[in-house]
Structure formats: structure tokens, C-alpha cells
Amino acid sequence: MNNETSDLALGVIGGTGVYRLANLEGAEAIELDTPYGTPSGPVRMGRLAGFRVAFLARHGEAHSVAPHRINYRANVHALHQLGVRRLLGINAVGGITERMGPRVLAVPDQIIDYSHGRLSSFCDTDGAKVEHVDFTHPYTPALRTALMRAGAATGTRLVDGGTYGCTQGPRLETIAEIARLRRDGCDLVGMTGMPEAVLARELAMDYASLCLVANWAAGCGDEAEITMDEVMANMGAATEAVPTLLAQLLVTLAAQPQGG
Ligand code: HPA
């Protein structure tokens, strides 16, 4: 994997609560199509901390595309078409295990996919060569490391590792479903981690996820139910660190040899 063909330092896909990057300067909105359809919205290309960055809001800028209806292939392909070779997904999640309480920022290292019916591969055109990509480590270790280093450099506490369980949504889960995810080893639950991660892998892009914990998953906290007020308040707090963290991530990546 390398960035030689592009001076684009990073692509970012923002999830719930992250519809724009406040510190993306001189951003130009690019509307584009892909062989897989239209992405969730325009890609905003600008400079962050002096580095070229492309940003896309996963659910659309007005949060109008539900997790199961997102055209993940178009989103990932559009960014690849524009030259993105390193991609960071920002994902709102529910916390399952003790270290993943509301407002925590986490950098997961594993995924279990419980979603269904999503178009989850670029290998589906007649006559195309079928490739079985390695997905042992679903998130690129070097990009995870850079994110952890950026956290340390900015004093942003990031939980290092954890398993992300991807559910179908858009509804939240039942207590029994979350108990099952916990038994399976999931620390976090979200609706959008897949197939984004595997699509990035199919296109040989580096990919990592920054998870923002919006609530305790069903049955994990003291509340009888999960309310949107709680989710939005926690997301507001968790997203505060994102601009500084991203700026430092770009500096860290520039200093870190690819794959290192
Ligand atoms: N479950 C699934 N996705 C989520 C949650 C949750 O509890 N919170 C934020 N995204």
C-alpha cells in the first residue's frame, strides 16, 4: 500500500454527529458518480493542518441515509477514485464492555459482522476475477498505531483495541442481542463498520476506525432505555476532540513511514 500516486494524505468518512470537519480549510465540494452508484453526498476536499484531506458524510450531510441503505461501495469507491489510499471511518457506537462507557473514544482492532443483505464486495460483476482478500486484521495496524500516537500526542484518551460488532439497524438492539454480542467477545456495537472496512481492504486502502461511544448498549447501563437526547449529548462531547486528533494524526502519518 502506498500513497505515491496521490498527494491526498487521508480520507475521512464521518458518521452520526460528524457531518463536516470544522478545521477543513478551503474545502471544495465534489459531486461524483461511481460504477457502483452515487455516494451519500459530496466529497469535500480541503486542507487540514496543511495536508490534503477528503471528507464524506456517511449518512449524508443531513443524516438522511439509514445504515442499511448506505451505498458503502459508492462511498469507498468515490474516495478511491479521488486518490484516497488511507481511510479513517468515524463511527458512533454503543459500549458493551466496562472500558467502553459513554463518551469514550476507541480504536477497535477486530470486527464481527452481524449485518445482512448489504452489498459487501466489489467482486460481483460477471466475469470479474474473484478475490478472497485477507481480513485477519480488519483494521490496518499502521493506521491504528498512528491514531494511538496522535491520541498520546494530543492528550486524548483513546482505548486501544476492542471488537466491533456490526448490527443491521436502524433499530437499536434488544438486551438479549447485546448479551449475545458480549458472549461473542464484542466490546462495541455499531451499524456502519461493515462492509466499509472490507471494501477498503478490497481496494487495498489502509483503513481504521475511530469509534465514539454514544451510549451504553441495551442492558449494559443503568437506564431503562436508550434515548436520543442521551446519544446526542454524548456524541457532542465525544466529537470535541476529533478536530485536534485528526490534525495530529496527519502530522503523525507524515512522520511515520507507511507500514511502520
Ligand atoms: N447500537 C448500535 N449502534 C449504535 C448504538 C447502539 O447502541 N449507539 C450508537 N450507534
Side-chain angles (χ1 to χ4, degrees):
M1 236 313 312
N2 67 69
N3 248 17
E4 282 156 14
T5 52
S6 162
D7 70 335
L8 252 180
L10 187 68
V12 179
I13 299 185
T16 299
V18 184
Y19 308 109
R20 292 285 181 100
L21 291 181
N23 49 350
L24 189 66
E25 286 164 12
E28 181 195 352
I30 301 177
E31 308 265 1
L32 75 171
D33 258 322
T34 79
Y36 301 91
T38 311
S40 300
V43 177
R44 297 198 179 263
M45 308 259 284
R47 283 195 180 269
L48 207 162
F51 298 91
R52 280 190 77 222
V53 169
F55 176 81
L56 174 64
R58 185 184 289 116
H59 298 274
E61 293 182 350
H63 198 114
S64 51
V65 191
H68 64 299
R69 304 206 60 222
I70 290 168
N71 189 338
Y72 293 93
R73 297 197 302 179
N75 284 356
V76 173
H77 205 274
L79 292 167
H80 189 266
Q81 279 171 226
L82 291 169
V84 171
R85 297 295 179 266
R86 273 188 194 128
L87 182 56
L88 178 71
I90 303 180
N91 303 83
V93 295
I96 298 176
T97 47
E98 205 179 329
R99 61 192 175 136
M100 301 297 189
R103 305 188 179 195
V104 159
L105 276 62
V107 184
D109 60 358
Q110 279 297 326
I111 303 177
I112 300 178
D113 188 7
Y114 301 90
S115 70
H116 48 84
R118 300 184 181 184
L119 294 170
S120 55
S121 174
F122 291 112
C123 290
D124 72 346
T125 40
D126 285 342
K129 188 166 163 280
V130 177
E131 284 191 50
H132 300 284
V133 289
D134 173 65
F135 208 43
T136 309
H137 299 285
Y139 301 108
T140 308
L143 190 50
R144 289 192 65 258
T145 302
L147 204 46
M148 292 308 303
R149 284 183 185 151
T154 54
T156 311
R157 196 178 83 84
L158 299 178
V159 174
D160 188 357
T163 298
Y164 177 112
C166 184
T167 55
Q168 178 71 352
R171 67 167 176 83
L172 296 165
E173 299 73 29
T174 65
I175 290 178
E177 286 168 337
I178 293 297
R180 173 195 173 201
L181 264 65
R182 187 194 287 274
R183 286 195 299 276
D184 284 355
C186 295
D187 298 285
L188 303 162
V189 57
M191 303 173 191
T192 54
M194 285 291 280
E196 196 171 278
V198 74
L199 292 169
R201 179 61 53 85
E202 283 193 359
L203 295 182
M205 297 157 95
D206 287 359
Y207 182 85
S209 163
L210 173 66
C211 287
L212 312 178
V213 183
N215 54 279
W216 281 118
C220 297
D222 295 332
E223 299 83 6
E225 335 185 311
I226 298 162
T227 65
M228 274 307 119
D229 285 352
E230 166 202 356
V231 165
M232 292 330 284
N234 288 329
M235 284 306 290
T239 52
E240 267 172 35
V242 170
T244 313
L245 188 62
L246 286 186
Q248 181 60 43
L249 173 63
L250 289 157
V251 173
T252 303
L253 284 169
Q256 175 178 300
Q258 201 118 33

